[in-house]
Amino acid sequence: MNRSLCFSLLIGVLSSAGLMPLQVSAQVQKITPGFRAALKMREDTLKEYSRQMVMAQEPAERFRYDSLFIRSFVRALQFTNSFYYPFDSVNISKLYAPDSAFRIFTWQAKKDEYVVMQRGAIQMRTPDGKLKLIPLHDQSMFTKNPMDSVRSNENWIGAIYYKIILKEYKGKKYYTLIGFDEFSVGSSKKWMEVLSFENGQPVFGNPAISFEDDEEKRKPQHRFSIEFKKEAKAFFNYDPELDLIIVDHLISETDEPARKNTYVPDGDYEAFKWKNGRWVHVTKFFNQKLKDGQFPTDAKILDDAGKADEQKLEEQSRKNYEKERKKNGGSPTPPSPIKKKP
């Protein structure tokens, strides 16, 4: 299967994670029959544009369809109450906030294996149904240290989002975004950052990623990411039953910690727990739930040469997750990880 088709399938998985909240679904009837029919016609066109901006063989063609898609999508969103129209068949990620205050669209434009840019926009829910759309401009290629800055929509750190988590602290709402980034020719990234709003405008990042409980103290970060080998699968998602963001712990399979394109899961997990308006890092979460010596070690994760066995690492990672969730009162089946393209 080629990379473009894999990406197309990925978007479908991501979009399925962003089903409309019930309060939004109940408002779909706000769209008049005439507008709904017009939006359906535009959706058919957008579906084809979104497919071609991924599947077209030449970069110039992909970017041409990307441009056509953006212009056509904005025109479609200008219909009154378009906020409630799901655009289910359009091949981009579409996520509604849990409180239905906004929805966020994200996708990527790919020149080649070395240049990948994210696109995005936030559509705000408005009382009169008129369009309020905030474009997101990916500036991550021009950023040396993305972890230490508050950002606006003009200098966004791009990602294809697949989860939004709503938390409140001292009367203010914070939306944590988790997303995927096809970062480089040899490695991929997954991102987490906190989105808030000031005077109706998005604010990406704040020093809410805390490592205060770690033995090795680190300064708070404005966002957090993991980087891992292109062919690996790394779990990074929110577990609503445990109320934790669960992250695969990564190791270098070649014992070269400076080379992120060698990182793979080792079967252990870290976590982040919301506490006093911050996501506080928990080292080896499941280990802390067990007595000494009880952590499962069903699979041998290193071969006789001391090299990581990736298949066993992935299997062990999932087994550990299932066992520890069951022991700690959660469902024995973990949420399905977002599968990245090979």
Side-chain angles (χ1 to χ4, degrees):
M1 184 180 293
N2 65 39
R3 296 177 61 82
S4 295
L5 182 55
C6 288
F7 177 74
S8 182
L9 294 174
L10 168 71
I11 287 292
V13 174
L14 299 185
S15 297
S16 68
L19 298 176
M20 287 190 293
L22 292 177
Q23 59 267 43
V24 173
S25 298
Q27 299 299 320
V28 171
Q29 66 269 23
K30 283 189 173 184
I31 306 174
T32 66
F35 282 177
R36 188 178 296 112
L39 283 167
K40 179 62 175 67
M41 290 180 60
R42 282 158 175 77
E43 181 180 5
D44 291 342
T45 299
L46 290 167
K47 176 183 177 181
E48 179 60 18
Y49 287 167
S50 66
R51 190 182 77 87
Q52 289 295 339
M53 67 188 187
V54 172
M55 300 294 290
Q57 293 298 313
E58 297 299 323
E61 281 293 283
R62 293 196 293 272
F63 278 89
R64 186 174 76 86
Y65 279 108
D66 178 71
S67 180
L68 288 170
F69 174 83
I70 291 171
R71 293 199 298 270
S72 299
F73 196 30
V74 172
R75 285 197 293 269
L77 293 173
Q78 288 172 345
F79 281 87
T80 302
N81 289 320
S82 69
F83 182 83
Y84 305 105
Y85 190 82
F87 294 100
D88 284 334
S89 69
V90 178
N91 193 37
I92 65 172
S93 174
K94 306 166 288 286
L95 291 179
Y96 281 90
D99 61 355
S100 304
F102 65 92
R103 63 176 171 176
I104 188 166
F105 308 106
T106 48
W107 67 97
Q108 74 177 25
K110 182 174 180 178
K111 179 178 180 290
D112 52 35
E113 299 299 318
Y114 299 90
V115 179
V116 181
M117 293 168 287
Q118 274 74 42
R119 309 284 205 219
I122 297 174
Q123 183 182 17
M124 306 300 297
R125 185 179 62 176
T126 58
D128 59 4
K130 291 184 179 179
L131 178 62
K132 180 179 179 181
L133 189 67
I134 304 170
L136 304 178
H137 301 287
D138 183 6
Q139 295 293 309
S140 56
M141 291 179 64
F142 312 103
T143 301
K144 291 184 179 179
N145 189 358
M147 305 301 182
D148 66 352
S149 55
V150 173
R151 291 173 172 263
S152 72
N153 62 302
E154 296 293 339
N155 58 352
W156 171 58
I157 298 296
I160 302 171
Y161 295 125
Y162 55 86
K163 191 68 179 177
I164 303 179
I165 307 152
L166 173 59
K167 296 292 185 181
E168 294 193 34
Y169 182 67
K170 294 185 176 180
K172 185 170 182 177
K173 292 183 177 181
Y174 296 94
Y175 305 88
T176 301
L177 305 170
I178 303 177
F180 173 82
D181 176 11
E182 188 180 352
F183 179 64
S184 73
V185 67
S187 65
S188 298
K189 281 188 173 185
K190 290 188 176 180
W191 287 95
M192 157 180 134
E193 69 175 321
V194 176
L195 167 67
S196 58
F197 289 86
E198 297 286 348
N199 300 317
Q201 294 300 310
V203 178
F204 290 92
N206 67 47
I209 314 298
S210 172
F211 301 91
E212 60 195 66
D213 292 342
D214 288 12
E215 289 185 12
E216 182 181 346
K217 301 301 178 186
R218 286 188 274 173
K219 291 168 51 178
Q221 294 178 184
H222 287 74
R223 52 191 57 81
F224 177 82
S225 71
I226 58 172
E227 185 177 349
F228 49 94
K229 183 179 178 179
K230 205 75 170 178
E231 294 78 14
K233 297 181 179 69
F235 188 87
F236 194 145
N237 214 334
Y238 177 67
D239 187 314
E241 292 185 32
L242 298 176
D243 193 21
L244 292 168
I245 295 174
I246 308 292
V247 186
D248 261 323
H249 183 262
L250 305 177
I251 61 169
S252 169
E253 63 178 346
T254 57
D255 196 22
E256 298 175 277
R259 294 182 58 205
K260 295 296 185 180
N261 62 346
T262 69
Y263 274 59
V264 294
D266 68 352
D268 207 345
Y269 285 90
E270 306 171 45
F272 287 91
K273 183 174 182 62
W274 184 258
K275 183 169 67 175
N276 298 326
R278 289 175 293 183
W279 285 109
V280 179
H281 183 241
V282 180
T283 305
K284 295 187 178 180
F285 164 70
F286 288 134
N287 242 2
Q288 297 187 359
K289 298 284 185 179
L290 303 173
K291 295 180 181 180
D292 290 343
Q294 289 187 334
F295 191 72
T297 54
D298 296 343
K300 183 181 179 183
I301 63 173
L302 299 178
D303 62 20
D304 293 337
K307 183 178 179 180
D309 184 321
E310 288 181 44
Q311 184 177 355
K312 287 183 178 179
L313 286 172
E314 184 178 346
E315 290 173 359
Q316 183 64 33
S317 183
R318 305 300 164 234
K319 285 180 181 178
N320 289 352
Y321 191 89
E322 292 174 9
K323 284 187 176 183
E324 300 317 314
R325 282 191 92 247
K326 191 172 182 179
K327 283 184 179 181
N328 292 289
S331 166
T333 304
S336 298
I338 300 300
K339 292 185 177 181
K340 63 172 289 302
K341 39 195 179 304

